[in-house]
Amino acid sequence: MSELVAVILGSDSDLPLVSKTISLLEEFGVGVRTAILSAHRTPEELFAFVGEADKAGVKVFIAAAGMAAHLAGAVAARTLRPVIGVPIPSAPFEGLDSLLSTVQMPGGIPVATVGAGPAGAKNAALLALQILALGDSGLEKKLAEARSRERAQVLEKNRRLKERGHRDYGV
Ligand code: RP5
């Protein structure tokens, strides 16, 4: 299976959140190239990885990092492929530092930044899949089915709330 998405983590401490990103991409049948590389600790290796991934046909990059999170921006500086940044919440600012470091890119080098935390890790995979689906009708169909399932789950929860009352939900 060809690797269409590269997922780069700034540290292995990001893995608990980012494993959801990787597993979601794999559930949709998309090959993933992964690496733990840092914009600050291993800049040369990071740039080499991005260059190799570009050459190998990776279409979308996802970069997840916490604290002074320059990883996504550093990746975006080295590729014309879309880059999605995932801010990882970390002490002491609980992700506000990573969010601002990732989202506030200077004009000319865009990073599509998702929210900090688990929802962002999930949405990064879905956004990458939606980008790939622009040229893949099979993938677009799978995404539409996933949306339908999500809709059905919410409507079922709504039905149960009406049927049994809110106390079942711990409200
Ligand atoms: C960032 O610094 C990493 O992405 C991680 O979120 C944070 C802390 O890294 P460790 O000290 O846990 O390796 O570069």
Side-chain angles (χ1 to χ4, degrees):
M1 190 192 307
S2 59
E3 296 168 335
L4 296 180
V5 179
V7 178
I8 310 166
L9 303 82
S11 167
D12 60 345
S13 63
D14 303 325
L15 199 49
L17 264 184
V18 182
S19 59
K20 175 70 188 174
T21 311
I22 298 167
S23 61
L24 195 49
L25 290 164
E26 288 174 344
E27 278 167 37
F28 277 81
V30 168
V32 186
R33 177 177 290 224
T34 55
I36 294 170
L37 289 168
S38 162
H40 305 120
R41 292 167 173 161
T42 59
E44 290 86 3
E45 290 82 357
L46 174 66
F47 291 156
F49 175 86
V50 174
E52 282 161 23
D54 246 20
K55 270 198 207 122
V58 161
K59 302 282 187 225
V60 183
F61 288 83
I62 295 175
M67 304 188 81
H70 299 132
L71 185 62
V75 173
R78 290 287 172 140
T79 182
L80 289 174
R81 309 273 154 87
V83 177
I84 301 169
V86 186
I88 300 290
S90 45
F93 297 111
E94 297 174 354
L96 187 57
D97 45 358
S98 348
L99 172 65
L100 295 177
S101 307
T102 304
V103 78
Q104 288 289 23
M105 289 296 295
I109 310 292
V111 167
T113 306
V114 294
K122 179 180 177 180
N123 282 344
L126 291 172
L127 184 54
L129 291 165
Q130 287 177 213
I131 293 167
L132 294 176
L134 290 170
D136 183 338
S137 57
L139 192 51
E140 189 179 16
K141 188 164 173 276
K142 283 188 200 172
L143 282 165
E145 287 163 359
R147 283 271 177 106
S148 295
R149 282 195 299 276
E150 206 160 50
R151 178 174 175 272
Q153 282 166 10
V154 173
L155 294 178
E156 172 59 15
K157 287 173 189 170
N158 183 45
R159 191 191 65 72
R160 284 180 50 208
L161 182 71
K162 284 184 186 154
E163 191 179 274
R164 300 186 199 168
H166 60 81
R167 280 186 184 74
D168 269 13
Y169 283 81
V171 180

